[in-house]
Amino acid sequence: MRPSTVTLESAGEAEQELPSESYVPKAMPPVLGTFDLTAVCVLGMLYLTNSTTAASSGAASLLLWLLGGVFYFLPSVIVSAQLGVLFPHDGSLYNWTHHALGRYWSFLIGFCWWLPGPLLIVTSAATMISYLQGLNHSWLTEPWQQGLAILALILLSGLLASRRLRTAQHLVNVGFCASLLSIVLISGAGAIWPLRGHQPATSFRTFSDWTPTLERLSLFGLICGAYGGAAMPLNMGGEIYEHEAIPGYLRWSTLVVLFGYLASTLTLLLVQGAAATSNPFALISVVDSVLGKVAGNITVVALLFAYLMAATAYNYSFARVLLVGSIDQRLPGRLGQLNRERVPTSAIALQTTIAALLALLIFLAIPYILFFADARNFSLIFYNVSIASVGTVWQTILVFIYIDLAHLLLKQREQVESRLIMPRWLLWPAIVIGPLASLVSVVSSLLVSWIPQQLDNAHWQYSVIALTSIMLVAALIGSLYASSQTSWQRMRMTGP
């Protein structure tokens, strides 16, 4: 049984039902449950590579993970759960903003919410390349080689995302289990290391070890970016069959993501310390040294498959934003086309094409223009710069989930009161704290390079600002083109 939605009785534009809200339940089967949504959320958020970068702050990184979890992650989970229950429809932030603020804002915010999706597909593939390089340092040493390999992985993810949703979701669920296996092995290595009598490679004894300095605080942006995207599975909110799936998946995802980041970072600090900084293969090296080569090989295979499935989940999840935008006549009609298996293949094909073009630009053109980039570590450089850029865009855009809920609580109080799943005394602190944490995160991301050994502060700021600007300009051009195409289609339909 599909979750029901709140009915807002006001006659204003912001409360009108969207065509996609009635179309999706009729055209697309409800096949997603709590476990499915948890798998999508964890794969989309839990990039253990972030732990190797955060480990550069020593013991303070554990405190930063906790601070980011309390002040950024938990508010976003609380507000996303409430909005998802109020409006369980495909499109998530796009749909919520429509009901709260109206048509104009919903299109703009929805488009910006979708925009980082293709870049995240590239980032997932680039992370896989970093692990492959760790297996053999002679593999994929040139950016053009990395670019071609990433292109192949992007196309594979697009092919998998185009399968029937239940089929693709089964693969994603296996990827989630693989991710859990890697967490168990990595955290197990951290637990066994001191039991064998080894001293921690990092100091945890003094107050200064735990104090976040200005340089350490710059990683708060990385940590908040790692905690972003809790609402991503709700892009498919209209295809959920369990009423409790929305709050259920957010509870489980919160626990898994928090534990995954804390456990993997602690393991690195115990076994390798500062030597792990910005080396994505450090996690595998830790498992190799503590549990043996077989366990290390299992970990790397599990992570490679998990990242491939993350790219697949990004692809079919964000395709729903394009789908509902097309159904609601805000994007060209062809993006709303479904194949025989009820999959929006046109939207997936567009995302895959954009991701492929980004990979060609980033790995086949930019490295030979920006000579400051280290060719051997270019996939690592790109990963961190792209995560910072995506985090900047998303943390800015996701402020609207707090604005949306605040508007609904103030302006539609009677209509939403019966569907509140959390007390107001918990919702309002989340609405206030979440945006403030987002602001601190965005500013801190630009202060100091996350990877100073590969990219100094000046080039870091230039790279992050440049990539963020490219995404925002692309959003402006894309939205103008989409609006013009949609207007032209309406004229054809209503013309003489």
Side-chain angles (χ1 to χ4, degrees), residues 460-490:
W460 168 263
Q461 294 168 7
Y462 167 79
S463 300
V464 173
I465 292 173
L467 188 54
T468 303
S469 300
I470 289 172
M471 285 194 289
L472 294 177
V473 170
L476 177 60
I477 296 174
S479 62
L480 290 175
Y481 172 76
S483 298
S484 64
Q485 285 288 99
T486 306
S487 299
W488 179 76
Q489 289 178 0
R490 288 201 203 99

PDB file of all heavy atoms in Angstrom, residues 460-490:
ATOM      1  N   TRP A 460      43.310  25.091  -4.806  1.00  0.00           N
ATOM      2  CA  TRP A 460      42.108  24.446  -4.270  1.00  0.00           C
ATOM      3  C   TRP A 460      40.910  25.390  -4.381  1.00  0.00           C
ATOM      4  O   TRP A 460      39.851  25.009  -4.885  1.00  0.00           O
ATOM      5  CB  TRP A 460      42.345  24.053  -2.818  1.00  0.00           C
ATOM      6  CG  TRP A 460      41.100  23.649  -2.083  1.00  0.00           C
ATOM      7  CD1 TRP A 460      40.328  24.419  -1.266  1.00  0.00           C
ATOM      8  CD2 TRP A 460      40.475  22.360  -2.120  1.00  0.00           C
ATOM      9  NE1 TRP A 460      39.265  23.706  -0.776  1.00  0.00           N
ATOM     10  CE2 TRP A 460      39.329  22.438  -1.287  1.00  0.00           C
ATOM     11  CE3 TRP A 460      40.768  21.159  -2.759  1.00  0.00           C
ATOM     12  CZ2 TRP A 460      38.485  21.341  -1.092  1.00  0.00           C
ATOM     13  CZ3 TRP A 460      39.925  20.069  -2.555  1.00  0.00           C
ATOM     14  CH2 TRP A 460      38.807  20.177  -1.735  1.00  0.00           C
ATOM     15  N   GLN A 461      41.073  26.619  -3.900  1.00  0.00           N
ATOM     16  CA  GLN A 461      39.971  27.570  -3.959  1.00  0.00           C
ATOM     17  C   GLN A 461      39.556  27.858  -5.389  1.00  0.00           C
ATOM     18  O   GLN A 461      38.361  27.918  -5.710  1.00  0.00           O
ATOM     19  CB  GLN A 461      40.379  28.857  -3.239  1.00  0.00           C
ATOM     20  CG  GLN A 461      40.599  28.682  -1.742  1.00  0.00           C
ATOM     21  CD  GLN A 461      41.269  29.863  -1.093  1.00  0.00           C
ATOM     22  OE1 GLN A 461      41.481  30.892  -1.714  1.00  0.00           O
ATOM     23  NE2 GLN A 461      41.610  29.729   0.189  1.00  0.00           N
ATOM     24  N   TYR A 462      40.544  28.023  -6.244  1.00  0.00           N
ATOM     25  CA  TYR A 462      40.253  28.280  -7.660  1.00  0.00           C
ATOM     26  C   TYR A 462      39.469  27.116  -8.263  1.00  0.00           C
ATOM     27  O   TYR A 462      38.476  27.318  -8.984  1.00  0.00           O
ATOM     28  CB  TYR A 462      41.560  28.490  -8.416  1.00  0.00           C
ATOM     29  CG  TYR A 462      41.438  28.453  -9.920  1.00  0.00           C
ATOM     30  CD1 TYR A 462      40.974  29.553 -10.626  1.00  0.00           C
ATOM     31  CD2 TYR A 462      41.773  27.304 -10.634  1.00  0.00           C
ATOM     32  CE1 TYR A 462      40.849  29.516 -12.004  1.00  0.00           C
ATOM     33  CE2 TYR A 462      41.649  27.259 -12.013  1.00  0.00           C
ATOM     34  CZ  TYR A 462      41.191  28.366 -12.694  1.00  0.00           C
ATOM     35  OH  TYR A 462      41.066  28.314 -14.047  1.00  0.00           O
ATOM     36  N   SER A 463      39.905  25.893  -7.995  1.00  0.00           N
ATOM     37  CA  SER A 463      39.283  24.710  -8.588  1.00  0.00           C
ATOM     38  C   SER A 463      37.854  24.521  -8.100  1.00  0.00           C
ATOM     39  O   SER A 463      36.940  24.246  -8.896  1.00  0.00           O
ATOM     40  CB  SER A 463      40.116  23.467  -8.275  1.00  0.00           C
ATOM     41  OG  SER A 463      41.422  23.580  -8.776  1.00  0.00           O
ATOM     42  N   VAL A 464      37.639  24.672  -6.776  1.00  0.00           N
ATOM     43  CA  VAL A 464      36.300  24.480  -6.218  1.00  0.00           C
ATOM     44  C   VAL A 464      35.345  25.557  -6.730  1.00  0.00           C
ATOM     45  O   VAL A 464      34.212  25.256  -7.152  1.00  0.00           O
ATOM     46  CB  VAL A 464      36.347  24.481  -4.681  1.00  0.00           C
ATOM     47  CG1 VAL A 464      34.940  24.462  -4.093  1.00  0.00           C
ATOM     48  CG2 VAL A 464      37.147  23.284  -4.175  1.00  0.00           C
ATOM     49  N   ILE A 465      35.788  26.801  -6.714  1.00  0.00           N
ATOM     50  CA  ILE A 465      34.932  27.893  -7.192  1.00  0.00           C
ATOM     51  C   ILE A 465      34.633  27.730  -8.678  1.00  0.00           C
ATOM     52  O   ILE A 465      33.500  27.946  -9.126  1.00  0.00           O
ATOM     53  CB  ILE A 465      35.590  29.251  -6.915  1.00  0.00           C
ATOM     54  CG1 ILE A 465      35.639  29.508  -5.395  1.00  0.00           C
ATOM     55  CG2 ILE A 465      34.837  30.382  -7.608  1.00  0.00           C
ATOM     56  CD1 ILE A 465      36.423  30.740  -5.002  1.00  0.00           C
ATOM     57  N   ALA A 466      35.650  27.327  -9.457  1.00  0.00           N
ATOM     58  CA  ALA A 466      35.457  27.166 -10.903  1.00  0.00           C
ATOM     59  C   ALA A 466      34.440  26.066 -11.192  1.00  0.00           C
ATOM     60  O   ALA A 466      33.521  26.256 -12.013  1.00  0.00           O
ATOM     61  CB  ALA A 466      36.791  26.855 -11.576  1.00  0.00           C
ATOM     62  N   LEU A 467      34.587  24.903 -10.542  1.00  0.00           N
ATOM     63  CA  LEU A 467      33.660  23.797 -10.805  1.00  0.00           C
ATOM     64  C   LEU A 467      32.256  24.125 -10.315  1.00  0.00           C
ATOM     65  O   LEU A 467      31.261  23.804 -10.991  1.00  0.00           O
ATOM     66  CB  LEU A 467      34.173  22.523 -10.137  1.00  0.00           C
ATOM     67  CG  LEU A 467      33.419  21.228 -10.470  1.00  0.00           C
ATOM     68  CD1 LEU A 467      33.340  21.017 -11.978  1.00  0.00           C
ATOM     69  CD2 LEU A 467      34.085  20.033  -9.795  1.00  0.00           C
ATOM     70  N   THR A 468      32.151  24.794  -9.178  1.00  0.00           N
ATOM     71  CA  THR A 468      30.838  25.211  -8.687  1.00  0.00           C
ATOM     72  C   THR A 468      30.191  26.201  -9.648  1.00  0.00           C
ATOM     73  O   THR A 468      28.988  26.105  -9.945  1.00  0.00           O
ATOM     74  CB  THR A 468      30.964  25.847  -7.291  1.00  0.00           C
ATOM     75  OG1 THR A 468      31.578  24.924  -6.399  1.00  0.00           O
ATOM     76  CG2 THR A 468      29.606  26.247  -6.756  1.00  0.00           C
ATOM     77  N   SER A 469      30.978  27.137 -10.162  1.00  0.00           N
ATOM     78  CA  SER A 469      30.456  28.124 -11.112  1.00  0.00           C
ATOM     79  C   SER A 469      29.984  27.455 -12.395  1.00  0.00           C
ATOM     80  O   SER A 469      28.948  27.825 -12.965  1.00  0.00           O
ATOM     81  CB  SER A 469      31.537  29.163 -11.430  1.00  0.00           C
ATOM     82  OG  SER A 469      31.941  29.849 -10.261  1.00  0.00           O
ATOM     83  N   ILE A 470      30.734  26.459 -12.859  1.00  0.00           N
ATOM     84  CA  ILE A 470      30.344  25.731 -14.068  1.00  0.00           C
ATOM     85  C   ILE A 470      28.991  25.065 -13.857  1.00  0.00           C
ATOM     86  O   ILE A 470      28.110  25.117 -14.729  1.00  0.00           O
ATOM     87  CB  ILE A 470      31.413  24.688 -14.433  1.00  0.00           C
ATOM     88  CG1 ILE A 470      32.670  25.389 -14.960  1.00  0.00           C
ATOM     89  CG2 ILE A 470      30.888  23.707 -15.480  1.00  0.00           C
ATOM     90  CD1 ILE A 470      33.842  24.456 -15.167  1.00  0.00           C
ATOM     91  N   MET A 471      28.795  24.458 -12.677  1.00  0.00           N
ATOM     92  CA  MET A 471      27.509  23.808 -12.406  1.00  0.00           C
ATOM     93  C   MET A 471      26.365  24.817 -12.370  1.00  0.00           C
ATOM     94  O   MET A 471      25.278  24.567 -12.906  1.00  0.00           O
ATOM     95  CB  MET A 471      27.590  23.036 -11.089  1.00  0.00           C
ATOM     96  CG  MET A 471      28.380  21.744 -11.162  1.00  0.00           C
ATOM     97  SD  MET A 471      28.127  20.682  -9.716  1.00  0.00           S
ATOM     98  CE  MET A 471      29.009  21.632  -8.472  1.00  0.00           C
ATOM     99  N   LEU A 472      26.592  25.968 -11.746  1.00  0.00           N
ATOM    100  CA  LEU A 472      25.533  26.964 -11.635  1.00  0.00           C
ATOM    101  C   LEU A 472      25.201  27.582 -12.990  1.00  0.00           C
ATOM    102  O   LEU A 472      24.030  27.814 -13.315  1.00  0.00           O
ATOM    103  CB  LEU A 472      25.942  28.046 -10.641  1.00  0.00           C
ATOM    104  CG  LEU A 472      26.083  27.579  -9.193  1.00  0.00           C
ATOM    105  CD1 LEU A 472      26.569  28.714  -8.297  1.00  0.00           C
ATOM    106  CD2 LEU A 472      24.759  27.023  -8.671  1.00  0.00           C
ATOM    107  N   VAL A 473      26.231  27.854 -13.803  1.00  0.00           N
ATOM    108  CA  VAL A 473      25.987  28.370 -15.156  1.00  0.00           C
ATOM    109  C   VAL A 473      25.243  27.333 -15.984  1.00  0.00           C
ATOM    110  O   VAL A 473      24.318  27.658 -16.740  1.00  0.00           O
ATOM    111  CB  VAL A 473      27.319  28.772 -15.828  1.00  0.00           C
ATOM    112  CG1 VAL A 473      27.106  29.074 -17.309  1.00  0.00           C
ATOM    113  CG2 VAL A 473      27.926  29.972 -15.124  1.00  0.00           C
ATOM    114  N   ALA A 474      25.651  26.068 -15.842  1.00  0.00           N
ATOM    115  CA  ALA A 474      24.957  25.002 -16.557  1.00  0.00           C
ATOM    116  C   ALA A 474      23.500  24.931 -16.126  1.00  0.00           C
ATOM    117  O   ALA A 474      22.604  24.683 -16.948  1.00  0.00           O
ATOM    118  CB  ALA A 474      25.654  23.669 -16.307  1.00  0.00           C
ATOM    119  N   ALA A 475      23.249  25.143 -14.825  1.00  0.00           N
ATOM    120  CA  ALA A 475      21.863  25.137 -14.333  1.00  0.00           C
ATOM    121  C   ALA A 475      21.058  26.258 -14.973  1.00  0.00           C
ATOM    122  O   ALA A 475      19.910  26.065 -15.392  1.00  0.00           O
ATOM    123  CB  ALA A 475      21.853  25.274 -12.820  1.00  0.00           C
ATOM    124  N   LEU A 476      21.654  27.451 -15.069  1.00  0.00           N
ATOM    125  CA  LEU A 476      20.952  28.585 -15.663  1.00  0.00           C
ATOM    126  C   LEU A 476      20.648  28.330 -17.136  1.00  0.00           C
ATOM    127  O   LEU A 476      19.509  28.488 -17.590  1.00  0.00           O
ATOM    128  CB  LEU A 476      21.806  29.847 -15.516  1.00  0.00           C
ATOM    129  CG  LEU A 476      21.246  31.117 -16.153  1.00  0.00           C
ATOM    130  CD1 LEU A 476      19.907  31.477 -15.544  1.00  0.00           C
ATOM    131  CD2 LEU A 476      22.238  32.269 -16.017  1.00  0.00           C
ATOM    132  N   ILE A 477      21.671  27.912 -17.885  1.00  0.00           N
ATOM    133  CA  ILE A 477      21.478  27.654 -19.320  1.00  0.00           C
ATOM    134  C   ILE A 477      20.491  26.514 -19.528  1.00  0.00           C
ATOM    135  O   ILE A 477      19.590  26.586 -20.366  1.00  0.00           O
ATOM    136  CB  ILE A 477      22.827  27.341 -19.985  1.00  0.00           C
ATOM    137  CG1 ILE A 477      23.749  28.566 -19.913  1.00  0.00           C
ATOM    138  CG2 ILE A 477      22.626  26.906 -21.439  1.00  0.00           C
ATOM    139  CD1 ILE A 477      25.153  28.303 -20.423  1.00  0.00           C
ATOM    140  N   GLY A 478      20.678  25.442 -18.740  1.00  0.00           N
ATOM    141  CA  GLY A 478      19.794  24.287 -18.894  1.00  0.00           C
ATOM    142  C   GLY A 478      18.359  24.615 -18.563  1.00  0.00           C
ATOM    143  O   GLY A 478      17.435  24.174 -19.257  1.00  0.00           O
ATOM    144  N   SER A 479      18.139  25.395 -17.509  1.00  0.00           N
ATOM    145  CA  SER A 479      16.773  25.740 -17.140  1.00  0.00           C
ATOM    146  C   SER A 479      16.124  26.647 -18.178  1.00  0.00           C
ATOM    147  O   SER A 479      14.943  26.500 -18.496  1.00  0.00           O
ATOM    148  CB  SER A 479      16.751  26.403 -15.766  1.00  0.00           C
ATOM    149  OG  SER A 479      17.500  27.610 -15.780  1.00  0.00           O
ATOM    150  N   LEU A 480      16.898  27.586 -18.735  1.00  0.00           N
ATOM    151  CA  LEU A 480      16.355  28.455 -19.787  1.00  0.00           C
ATOM    152  C   LEU A 480      15.996  27.654 -21.032  1.00  0.00           C
ATOM    153  O   LEU A 480      14.934  27.858 -21.639  1.00  0.00           O
ATOM    154  CB  LEU A 480      17.379  29.549 -20.133  1.00  0.00           C
ATOM    155  CG  LEU A 480      17.613  30.621 -19.059  1.00  0.00           C
ATOM    156  CD1 LEU A 480      18.743  31.550 -19.489  1.00  0.00           C
ATOM    157  CD2 LEU A 480      16.342  31.407 -18.799  1.00  0.00           C
ATOM    158  N   TYR A 481      16.877  26.719 -21.403  1.00  0.00           N
ATOM    159  CA  TYR A 481      16.603  25.882 -22.581  1.00  0.00           C
ATOM    160  C   TYR A 481      15.393  25.001 -22.343  1.00  0.00           C
ATOM    161  O   TYR A 481      14.509  24.881 -23.209  1.00  0.00           O
ATOM    162  CB  TYR A 481      17.824  25.022 -22.897  1.00  0.00           C
ATOM    163  CG  TYR A 481      17.569  24.001 -23.981  1.00  0.00           C
ATOM    164  CD1 TYR A 481      17.507  24.374 -25.328  1.00  0.00           C
ATOM    165  CD2 TYR A 481      17.368  22.657 -23.653  1.00  0.00           C
ATOM    166  CE1 TYR A 481      17.255  23.441 -26.318  1.00  0.00           C
ATOM    167  CE2 TYR A 481      17.122  21.721 -24.637  1.00  0.00           C
ATOM    168  CZ  TYR A 481      17.066  22.110 -25.966  1.00  0.00           C
ATOM    169  OH  TYR A 481      16.819  21.169 -26.945  1.00  0.00           O
ATOM    170  N   ALA A 482      15.342  24.400 -21.144  1.00  0.00           N
ATOM    171  CA  ALA A 482      14.218  23.516 -20.846  1.00  0.00           C
ATOM    172  C   ALA A 482      12.902  24.283 -20.856  1.00  0.00           C
ATOM    173  O   ALA A 482      11.892  23.811 -21.374  1.00  0.00           O
ATOM    174  CB  ALA A 482      14.443  22.851 -19.489  1.00  0.00           C
ATOM    175  N   SER A 483      12.911  25.494 -20.276  1.00  0.00           N
ATOM    176  CA  SER A 483      11.690  26.304 -20.246  1.00  0.00           C
ATOM    177  C   SER A 483      11.245  26.687 -21.654  1.00  0.00           C
ATOM    178  O   SER A 483      10.056  26.653 -21.983  1.00  0.00           O
ATOM    179  CB  SER A 483      11.917  27.565 -19.407  1.00  0.00           C
ATOM    180  OG  SER A 483      12.213  27.229 -18.078  1.00  0.00           O
ATOM    181  N   SER A 484      12.201  27.056 -22.516  1.00  0.00           N
ATOM    182  CA  SER A 484      11.856  27.431 -23.887  1.00  0.00           C
ATOM    183  C   SER A 484      11.304  26.239 -24.658  1.00  0.00           C
ATOM    184  O   SER A 484      10.341  26.373 -25.410  1.00  0.00           O
ATOM    185  CB  SER A 484      13.074  28.019 -24.604  1.00  0.00           C
ATOM    186  OG  SER A 484      14.093  27.047 -24.738  1.00  0.00           O
ATOM    187  N   GLN A 485      11.912  25.057 -24.456  1.00  0.00           N
ATOM    188  CA  GLN A 485      11.429  23.856 -25.131  1.00  0.00           C
ATOM    189  C   GLN A 485      10.016  23.515 -24.680  1.00  0.00           C
ATOM    190  O   GLN A 485       9.155  23.154 -25.483  1.00  0.00           O
ATOM    191  CB  GLN A 485      12.361  22.680 -24.837  1.00  0.00           C
ATOM    192  CG  GLN A 485      13.679  22.734 -25.591  1.00  0.00           C
ATOM    193  CD  GLN A 485      13.482  22.449 -27.072  1.00  0.00           C
ATOM    194  OE1 GLN A 485      13.412  23.350 -27.898  1.00  0.00           O
ATOM    195  NE2 GLN A 485      13.374  21.187 -27.416  1.00  0.00           N
ATOM    196  N   THR A 486       9.769  23.638 -23.365  1.00  0.00           N
ATOM    197  CA  THR A 486       8.451  23.332 -22.834  1.00  0.00           C
ATOM    198  C   THR A 486       7.411  24.317 -23.353  1.00  0.00           C
ATOM    199  O   THR A 486       6.298  23.934 -23.719  1.00  0.00           O
ATOM    200  CB  THR A 486       8.478  23.361 -21.302  1.00  0.00           C
ATOM    201  OG1 THR A 486       9.516  22.491 -20.845  1.00  0.00           O
ATOM    202  CG2 THR A 486       7.167  22.916 -20.730  1.00  0.00           C
ATOM    203  N   SER A 487       7.754  25.587 -23.398  1.00  0.00           N
ATOM    204  CA  SER A 487       6.827  26.600 -23.913  1.00  0.00           C
ATOM    205  C   SER A 487       6.503  26.339 -25.377  1.00  0.00           C
ATOM    206  O   SER A 487       5.350  26.475 -25.816  1.00  0.00           O
ATOM    207  CB  SER A 487       7.433  27.995 -23.744  1.00  0.00           C
ATOM    208  OG  SER A 487       7.668  28.280 -22.387  1.00  0.00           O
ATOM    209  N   TRP A 488       7.531  25.954 -26.143  1.00  0.00           N
ATOM    210  CA  TRP A 488       7.305  25.657 -27.563  1.00  0.00           C
ATOM    211  C   TRP A 488       6.376  24.462 -27.723  1.00  0.00           C
ATOM    212  O   TRP A 488       5.495  24.454 -28.602  1.00  0.00           O
ATOM    213  CB  TRP A 488       8.654  25.376 -28.221  1.00  0.00           C
ATOM    214  CG  TRP A 488       8.547  25.035 -29.680  1.00  0.00           C
ATOM    215  CD1 TRP A 488       8.311  25.897 -30.712  1.00  0.00           C
ATOM    216  CD2 TRP A 488       8.653  23.739 -30.266  1.00  0.00           C
ATOM    217  NE1 TRP A 488       8.284  25.213 -31.916  1.00  0.00           N
ATOM    218  CE2 TRP A 488       8.488  23.887 -31.660  1.00  0.00           C
ATOM    219  CE3 TRP A 488       8.884  22.477 -29.740  1.00  0.00           C
ATOM    220  CZ2 TRP A 488       8.541  22.803 -32.545  1.00  0.00           C
ATOM    221  CZ3 TRP A 488       8.942  21.382 -30.620  1.00  0.00           C
ATOM    222  CH2 TRP A 488       8.758  21.563 -31.988  1.00  0.00           C
ATOM    223  N   GLN A 489       6.528  23.441 -26.871  1.00  0.00           N
ATOM    224  CA  GLN A 489       5.656  22.286 -26.957  1.00  0.00           C
ATOM    225  C   GLN A 489       4.220  22.655 -26.601  1.00  0.00           C
ATOM    226  O   GLN A 489       3.279  22.165 -27.233  1.00  0.00           O
ATOM    227  CB  GLN A 489       6.172  21.180 -26.033  1.00  0.00           C
ATOM    228  CG  GLN A 489       7.461  20.532 -26.521  1.00  0.00           C
ATOM    229  CD  GLN A 489       7.971  19.486 -25.557  1.00  0.00           C
ATOM    230  OE1 GLN A 489       7.374  19.234 -24.521  1.00  0.00           O
ATOM    231  NE2 GLN A 489       9.101  18.880 -25.895  1.00  0.00           N
ATOM    232  N   ARG A 490       4.056  23.543 -25.607  1.00  0.00           N
ATOM    233  CA  ARG A 490       2.701  23.961 -25.270  1.00  0.00           C
ATOM    234  C   ARG A 490       2.056  24.716 -26.412  1.00  0.00           C
ATOM    235  O   ARG A 490       0.873  24.572 -26.695  1.00  0.00           O
ATOM    236  CB  ARG A 490       2.746  24.868 -24.018  1.00  0.00           C
ATOM    237  CG  ARG A 490       3.054  24.136 -22.732  1.00  0.00           C
ATOM    238  CD  ARG A 490       2.563  24.963 -21.542  1.00  0.00           C
ATOM    239  NE  ARG A 490       3.282  24.597 -20.331  1.00  0.00           N
ATOM    240  CZ  ARG A 490       4.303  25.264 -19.839  1.00  0.00           C
ATOM    241  NH1 ARG A 490       4.744  26.359 -20.443  1.00  0.00           N
ATOM    242  NH2 ARG A 490       4.890  24.877 -18.726  1.00  0.00           N
TER     243      ARG A 490
END
